[in-house]
């Protein structure tokens, strides 16, 4: 188990401030944030490459703050593969084992095991210069695993790979974790994090602003920054008001717009709401349905996505609806068109401050 306690580090105008989190044995822990948030610096502090100004790092309940990097039982993989170009794939993986003076037979057995785990057995005799980016990253991971790290640290290891190569490395990382390898993975890609992790920490401007399981963080973001960063478009700050006409419902007011919601929170409670884009219906005429929230608005923007389109409609605030390509063609949607949008009170999720 790894535990960070009140880690602080100042570097020029940037500071890591009171960083606290715990990574359990077997966890896939993802540290997610924008570029410049302090993710890579934090990894290098854990690794021992950078010394913190204050705080403590505990591995299995023992401080490693003054332990040299090479003795921390940690391994790190960076954005770009870091391999010895004059060595073969076999020699690269074997290098840390030779340093530790393993026998030739022990090295051969260990390299074969690691190459099988990382699915690169067929590459062992190849020169590094003949490998693809994905193959080189697999070799880098195998060589790092040769040090038998208790925790594998990953610094944006997929950022320079194309989509197809990413899928292969993602599958490899999931497999390693399922085999028991504890991993700390730094990324700015929330979809990448969601596909891998069982625990997430969000970092903003050098501070951890939320930790939890993917479900906790993605379904209950604690700030507008987190919501927008993880791709939630309909996230609004406001407060609860009593409804005069619907005793079993309340209003949520943001700016000059009021939404019906079935929250049990008391009047004047402040917080945020999330409205899933999939729950918002677009139509030419007002729908006669159980959806009590109905608004007329103007289409401000249209985005193509992997799963259809996102339509941004201005109703006083901008709401984003997700629709299929078929519905888009059927409704003949375009920027500037007046449309009706509707959604149920039950589709609104309220998060209290």
């Amino acid at each position: 188990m790894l535990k960070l306690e009140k880690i602080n580090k100042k570097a020029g105008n940037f500071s890591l401030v009171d960083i606290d989190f715990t990574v359990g044995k077997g966890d896939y822990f993802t540290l997610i944030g924008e570029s410049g948030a302090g993710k890579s610096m934090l990894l290098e502090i854990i690794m021992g490459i950078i010394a913190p100004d204050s705080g403590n790092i505990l591995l299995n309940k023992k401080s490693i703050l003054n332990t040299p990097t090479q003795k921390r039982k940690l391994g790190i993989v960076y954005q770009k593969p870091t391999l010895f170009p004059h060595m073969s794939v076999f020699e690269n993986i074997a290098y840390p084992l030779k340093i530790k003076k393993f026998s030739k037979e022990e090295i051969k057995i260990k390299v074969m095991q690691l190459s099988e785990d990382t699915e690169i057995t067929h590459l062992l005799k190849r020169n590094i210069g003949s490998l693809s980016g994905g193959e080189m990253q697999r070799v880098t991971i195998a060589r790092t695993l040769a040090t038998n790290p208790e925790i594998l640290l990953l610094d944006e290891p997929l950022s320079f790979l194309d989509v197809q190569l990413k899928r292969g490395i993602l599958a490899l990382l999931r497999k390693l974790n399922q085999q028991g390898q504890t991993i700390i993975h730094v990324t700015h890609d929330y979809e990448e994090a969601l596909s891998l992790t069982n625990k997430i920490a969000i970092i903003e401007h050098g501070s951890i602003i939320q930790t939890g399981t993917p479900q906790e963080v993605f379904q209950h973001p604690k700030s507008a920054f987190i919501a927008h960063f993880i791709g939630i478009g309909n996230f609004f700050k406001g407060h609860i008001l009593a409804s005069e006409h619907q005793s079993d419902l309340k209003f949520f007011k943001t700016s000059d717009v009021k939404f019906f919601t079935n929250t049990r929170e008391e009047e004047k409670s402040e917080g945020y709401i999330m409205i899933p884009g999939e729950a918002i219906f677009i139509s030419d005429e007002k729908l006669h349905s159980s959806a009590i929230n109905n608004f007329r608005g103007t289409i401000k923007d249209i985005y193509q996505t992997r799963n259809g389109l996102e339509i941004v409609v201005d109703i006083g605030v901008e709401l984003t609806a997700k629709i299929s390509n078929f519905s888009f063609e059927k409704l003949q949607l375009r920027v500037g068109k007046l449309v009706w949008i509707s959604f149920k009170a039950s589709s609104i999720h309220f998060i209290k401050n």
Side-chain angles (χ1 to χ4, degrees):
M1 182 180 76
L2 182 78
K3 186 174 184 180
L4 273 65
E5 298 179 336
K6 301 294 181 184
I7 293 294
N8 290 275
K9 178 66 180 180
K10 185 171 178 59
N13 295 324
F14 178 80
S15 295
L16 287 174
V17 181
D18 290 339
I19 301 295
D20 284 296
F21 61 74
T22 300
V23 181
K25 184 175 176 59
D27 274 349
Y28 200 119
F29 183 95
T30 305
L31 187 65
I32 184 169
E34 295 179 326
S35 296
K39 306 184 299 297
S40 296
M41 178 188 286
L42 192 51
L43 271 198
E44 295 197 332
I45 287 174
I46 294 170
M47 195 69 196
I49 298 168
I50 298 174
D53 296 332
S54 62
N56 202 1
I57 304 172
L58 304 172
L59 182 61
N60 299 325
K61 299 182 179 181
K62 293 181 180 179
S63 177
I64 58 170
L65 204 59
N66 297 315
T67 303
T69 297
Q70 63 272 20
K71 294 184 178 180
R72 289 198 177 193
K73 298 181 180 179
L74 306 172
I76 190 165
V77 174
Y78 288 101
Q79 294 178 357
K80 292 184 178 180
T82 52
L83 299 170
F84 300 118
H86 61 286
M87 295 182 183
S88 68
V89 169
F90 182 98
E91 291 168 334
N92 264 277
I93 300 171
Y95 181 79
L97 300 172
K98 288 182 178 178
I99 295 296
K100 291 186 176 182
K101 304 201 181 298
F102 280 61
S103 69
K104 287 186 177 180
E105 187 60 27
E106 287 174 322
I107 289 173
K108 183 178 179 181
I109 291 170
K110 187 66 173 176
V111 171
M112 289 305 297
Q113 177 201 327
L114 290 168
S115 65
E116 287 174 7
D117 288 344
T118 52
E119 300 175 6
I120 54 171
T121 305
H122 60 294
L123 301 175
L124 289 176
K125 295 181 180 180
R126 295 264 295 272
N127 294 320
I128 297 303
S130 68
L131 304 180
S132 69
E135 289 170 340
M136 284 194 286
Q137 199 64 294
R138 284 176 182 268
V139 177
T140 303
I141 292 169
R143 190 183 66 183
T144 305
L145 292 173
T147 65
N148 197 29
E150 286 198 30
I151 302 176
L152 179 64
L153 309 178
L154 305 173
D155 188 3
E156 302 263 12
L158 309 177
S159 59
F160 287 94
L161 303 179
D162 62 33
V163 173
Q164 194 61 39
L165 293 175
K166 274 186 180 182
R167 289 197 189 106
I169 300 296
L170 285 170
L172 169 61
L173 294 175
R174 276 192 292 270
K175 183 178 79 170
L176 291 173
N177 182 240
Q178 288 163 2
Q179 291 172 346
Q181 179 66 59
T182 305
I183 297 174
I184 300 176
H185 184 148
V186 154
T187 183
H188 63 274
D189 187 333
Y190 72 92
E191 290 186 356
E192 180 178 301
L194 190 60
S195 70
L196 291 167
T197 191
N198 70 309
K199 195 172 182 182
I200 288 177
I202 307 288
I203 186 168
E204 180 187 17
H205 303 313
S207 296
I208 301 291
I209 56 176
Q210 187 172 358
T211 60
T213 65
Q215 292 75 21
E216 289 167 346
V217 173
F218 283 75
Q219 294 179 19
H220 304 279
K222 289 185 176 179
S223 71
F225 168 82
I226 297 172
H228 292 311
F229 186 73
I230 63 179
I232 299 173
N234 302 317
F235 191 89
F236 303 102
K237 185 175 183 179
H239 60 276
I240 299 296
L241 296 175
S243 169
E244 298 175 3
H245 307 294
Q246 297 282 343
S247 57
D248 57 332
L249 297 175
K250 293 189 176 77
F251 280 124
F252 176 87
K253 187 175 187 296
T254 180
S255 300
D256 292 323
V257 179
K258 292 190 292 186
F259 301 113
F260 279 112
T261 177
N262 60 1
T263 181
R264 295 181 180 179
E265 295 293 339
E266 296 179 357
E267 188 176 0
K268 297 184 180 178
S269 294
E270 295 187 347
Y272 300 87
I273 59 165
M274 292 189 298
I275 309 170
E278 298 86 352
I280 299 175
F281 297 92
I282 296 181
S283 56
D284 288 323
E285 304 292 336
K286 185 177 180 180
L287 294 178
H288 298 286
S289 70
S290 59
I292 195 168
N293 288 294
N294 292 277
F295 301 91
R296 190 148 168 80
T298 303
I299 296 177
K300 303 296 289 186
D301 215 339
I302 298 172
Y303 299 95
Q304 181 72 53
T305 70
R306 282 177 289 181
N307 301 314
L309 293 114
E310 294 189 354
I311 313 297
V312 181
V313 182
D314 187 350
I315 63 167
V317 294
E318 291 187 354
L319 284 174
T320 301
K322 296 183 179 181
I323 68 168
S324 67
N325 285 288
F326 175 79
S327 295
F328 175 77
E329 294 293 339
K330 182 180 178 181
L331 292 167
Q332 297 183 324
L333 301 180
R334 65 185 184 281
V335 173
K337 182 177 180 178
L338 281 170
V339 292
W340 280 92
I341 63 170
S342 60
F343 49 94
K344 295 180 179 180
S346 60
S347 67
I348 296 178
H349 178 65
F350 177 76
I351 305 167
K352 191 173 181 179
N353 274 357

